[in-house]
Amino acid sequence: MGAPGAGKGTQARLLEERRGVSHISTGDILRDARRAGTALGREAERYMAQGLLVPDDVVIGIVADRLAAQNHSRGFLLDGFPRTVRQAEALDRILGEGNGRLDAVLSLTVPEDELVRRLAGRRICRQCGAMFQLDVDPAARVGRCDRCGGELYQREDDREETVRARFEIYARDTAPVLRYYRDAGLLREISGVGNREEIFKHVAAILP
């Protein structure tokens, strides 16, 4: 967990690569559906372009289907879910139906000004999804991915005016989820400031 730009996706991908856990990103699933023009993608489009949260029922269904469809023998990592208390309660029900349990809820904390800077400078590869940051982790070639050569672009919801709206939504809807998991004894909070390897050392030390 963490506010937009806190580094959730970056750390999730490192955990997937180095520990072999299944990485379930609701944001990636919705963006893929959006690009493909599916019914789910069209529904998500109306909300995501404005930095709004996609309705709970849609996201809960996505996660339930993905957990049921895949083998998670080495564990799974949820990235971008749950984002509301209602989603957290639904996740408890889903896990209670035989889909495993939560070992920990990791929250990355980053000052808001730093988050705005990160998001405004974030660029993503259209082909492989690799992420770059113009100030601290730029691509070697302007506008091109170092991994596959694909075109780099800025997500609509990373523009500053949309980013500010996303922070307001996070404070209103998602921050209460931290209290939910703190009360359950699952919340682990660490600083998300620093380079990805430094942060990963703290992440790896906390997670079982």
Side-chain angles (χ1 to χ4, degrees):
M1 296 193 66
K8 301 182 295 294
T10 297
Q11 295 303 318
R13 277 185 284 277
L14 290 174
L15 283 165
E16 182 178 36
E17 292 170 5
R18 300 177 187 183
R19 291 200 174 182
V21 298
S22 301
H23 174 202
I24 302 172
S25 168
T26 52
D28 287 349
I29 293 169
L30 289 168
R31 281 186 286 273
D32 287 346
R34 187 179 173 189
R35 283 192 292 268
T38 65
L40 171 62
R42 290 191 296 273
E43 183 173 2
E45 168 77 27
R46 297 187 292 120
Y47 300 92
M48 296 173 72
Q50 302 175 64
L52 302 176
L53 294 183
V54 176
D56 285 343
D57 290 342
V58 175
V59 182
I60 290 166
I62 288 171
V63 172
D65 289 347
R66 185 60 62 93
L67 287 174
Q70 294 184 338
N71 179 3
H72 304 291
S73 59
R74 300 192 67 177
F76 61 86
L77 179 68
L78 294 170
D79 169 13
F81 181 91
R83 286 187 173 178
T84 67
V85 171
R86 185 180 172 212
Q87 290 179 13
E89 292 169 344
L91 179 59
D92 287 343
R93 293 193 297 271
I94 292 167
L95 296 178
E97 294 169 359
N99 292 296
R101 63 180 178 85
L102 292 182
D103 293 305
V105 176
L106 179 64
S107 177
L108 298 171
T109 61
V110 181
E112 184 171 319
D113 287 346
E114 168 69 8
L115 293 173
V116 172
R117 184 192 65 79
R118 286 185 187 182
L119 290 172
R122 181 163 67 177
R123 298 295 183 269
I124 302 173
C125 177
R126 291 191 186 277
Q127 293 188 126
C128 72
M131 288 192 294
F132 300 88
Q133 218 290 330
L134 297 181
D135 292 335
V136 298
D137 187 24
R141 290 188 297 157
V142 175
R144 289 291 166 184
C145 176
D146 290 349
R147 295 184 185 178
C148 71
E151 178 190 359
L152 300 181
Y153 75 103
Q154 183 182 37
R155 280 174 24 189
E156 291 181 13
D157 56 351
D158 280 349
R159 302 185 190 282
E160 184 169 350
E161 61 275 15
T162 307
V163 166
R164 296 291 183 184
R166 292 168 69 192
F167 288 148
E168 292 178 8
I169 292 167
Y170 177 79
R172 183 189 71 216
D173 294 336
T174 308
V177 182
L178 297 178
R179 292 194 294 271
Y180 182 89
Y181 285 121
R182 185 179 290 113
D183 291 344
L186 291 170
L187 185 65
R188 309 287 184 270
E189 295 182 278
I190 65 169
S191 171
V193 177
N195 67 52
R196 66 184 67 189
E197 292 298 332
E198 291 171 344
I199 298 168
F200 183 76
K201 288 180 182 178
H202 296 298
V203 172
I206 287 173
L207 296 181

